[in-house]
Amino acid sequence: CPSFGKLEAMLGSDVSGRQMLDAELAMALAPSLGCAWVLCLDSDELFFTRAASVHAHLEGLASAGVDQMTYLNHEGVPEVEETTDYFASTTLFRRHHFAVPLSAEARIGLRFWMDRSQRGQYMLFYDNGKSACRSGLAARTRSQHLWQLLEGHRSCTALADPRRLDIEGYRDCSDPCILHFPICGMSWFLAKYQTLGNFSDTWLGKVKVPDCFHSDARELCAAGEEALRAKFRAEVIIEDPEEVGRQLACGTCLRIEDHARLLDSIAAAATSSAAPKVAPRGAAPRPAGAPAPAPMDQGPVGIERGWMLSKAMGYL
């Protein structure tokens, strides 16, 4: 693995370091196994397409001279508190904000999630996608999300991300995508943070972990299980079918059931992907300690600016 010397000391303490080395080992083994592409996924993620196979998509990338492709990630939202199989029970997804339509209704939908988060977050975990890379190119990991290619090789991204403004590398692609099921059940949430324990304040020993849902959950785990349970109920699960209908109608959320059927899972009863007519929304409940929501007429907050700017990427 090209990065082993740099990351070896972190093997016992840093999840990101282990993931990066796992990806590099897979990349080293891929040619001998007949694998043309490598994508670093966790056990709570799926590489999803509505097509019969991703073969045609990957062949199209290769024909276009694309050696790395970064995909949008959508975040699973549990509608039931307990499940033994989150792939079966989770079919509602918070759409990546760069893929949310630009409308007043969608902005209200975004604000629902931000207002119920103590940290004003829309997505509770990562929003920078995951990347598939062609094997045999001596690529190394920059992170578990992105590969470092040698000069002369081409990377593209489906993220219309104004933070990077990679206009030349932008490639419109909503399918395939990454489905992320980070904490889609109470028992999975408790187990995740009890296993992680008092993890470091940095990734890879240098990148500061911001104050966020992830770091808050670490502190609550130390405070006791009931504090974690309250966090899950306040910020993670959604049990209001009318709110689900509103989220689907405005395009903030999407309903995907194909993965449950493909994996022969028995999907939980779910709202139809065709959004029903629902009553107007009241104010979203806010967790204790969350700041008061900013008025809609005082300009964009949080991820809203990036959401708005992302819509211009296809025209630049």
Side-chain angles (χ1 to χ4, degrees):
C1 299
S3 302
F4 186 79
K6 180 177 68 174
L7 298 175
E8 179 184 9
M10 303 177 190
L11 281 174
S13 59
D14 194 294
V15 174
S16 295
R18 290 197 297 273
Q19 290 173 329
M20 291 168 65
L21 288 176
D22 286 344
E24 289 190 354
L25 177 59
M27 184 63 80
L29 295 174
S32 65
L33 296 173
C35 296
W37 292 81
V38 176
L39 172 64
C40 178
L41 294 179
D42 297 341
S43 60
D44 61 358
E45 293 173 318
L46 296 175
F47 188 43
F48 174 77
T49 180
R50 294 188 187 277
S53 168
V54 295
H55 287 175
H57 167 75
L58 295 174
E59 288 171 357
L61 292 179
S63 297
V66 177
D67 300 307
Q68 174 174 215
M69 182 69 198
T70 303
Y71 298 94
L72 290 163
N73 59 283
H74 307 301
E75 194 169 87
V77 181
E79 298 171 85
V80 294
E81 187 165 292
E82 291 294 353
T83 180
T84 58
D85 183 352
Y86 43 72
F87 291 140
S89 62
T90 307
T91 59
L92 180 70
F93 295 87
R94 200 162 27 243
R95 196 189 301 263
H96 193 290
H97 48 284
F98 294 157
V100 171
L102 189 62
S103 70
E105 293 78 14
R107 189 181 183 196
I108 294 171
L110 292 171
R111 282 289 183 96
F112 169 81
W113 300 104
M114 295 162 68
D115 289 348
R116 79 196 296 251
S117 163
Q118 181 180 348
R119 299 294 180 178
Q121 292 175 245
Y122 169 61
M123 300 186 82
L124 297 181
F125 293 90
Y126 73 87
D127 65 358
N128 53 338
K130 286 287 184 80
S131 304
C133 182
R134 293 179 65 190
S135 63
L137 302 180
R140 64 169 62 207
T141 52
R142 290 182 59 182
S143 71
Q144 61 267 56
H145 300 271
L146 194 65
W147 296 87
Q148 178 68 54
L149 298 177
L150 297 177
E151 187 175 353
H153 293 290
R154 183 184 178 200
S155 295
C156 287
T157 179
L159 276 67
D161 193 343
R163 293 170 296 190
R164 295 185 61 198
L165 265 179
D166 185 6
I167 298 171
E168 296 301 320
Y170 176 68
R171 186 180 179 93
D172 185 32
C173 178
S174 59
D175 185 320
C177 63
I178 307 297
L179 299 183
H180 188 199
F181 303 75
I183 42 173
C184 293
M186 179 72 81
S187 59
W188 297 100
F189 178 51
L190 298 177
K192 177 185 179 81
Y193 285 97
Q194 288 164 354
T195 300
L196 289 175
N198 187 29
F199 54 84
S200 172
D201 285 325
T202 62
W203 287 305
L204 303 177
K206 57 184 179 180
V207 181
K208 177 73 170 65
V209 177
D211 292 333
C212 60
F213 179 91
H214 185 52
S215 60
D216 288 344
R218 175 190 60 188
E219 305 308 315
L220 291 173
C221 185
E225 189 173 295
E226 284 310 308
L228 274 179
R229 290 183 179 275
K231 184 79 165 175
F232 181 89
R233 291 171 180 141
E235 300 187 36
V236 180
I237 193 171
I238 183 167
E239 297 180 288
D240 179 358
E242 289 190 351
E243 185 58 47
V244 171
R246 282 186 284 265
Q247 293 291 325
L248 292 169
C250 73
T252 310
C253 287
L254 69 161
R255 178 77 70 186
I256 301 176
E257 298 175 336
D258 309 55
H259 60 286
R261 289 193 289 267
L262 181 64
L263 296 172
D264 291 327
S265 300
I266 301 174
T271 306
S272 169
S273 58
K277 294 181 179 179
V278 292
R281 166 192 295 115
R286 291 185 294 117
M296 300 285 278
D297 61 356
Q298 288 191 3
V301 298
I303 51 90
E304 289 181 339
R305 183 171 284 104
W307 164 60
M308 294 173 182
L309 289 173
S310 72
K311 305 310 169 192
M313 186 69 82
Y315 300 97
L316 298 177

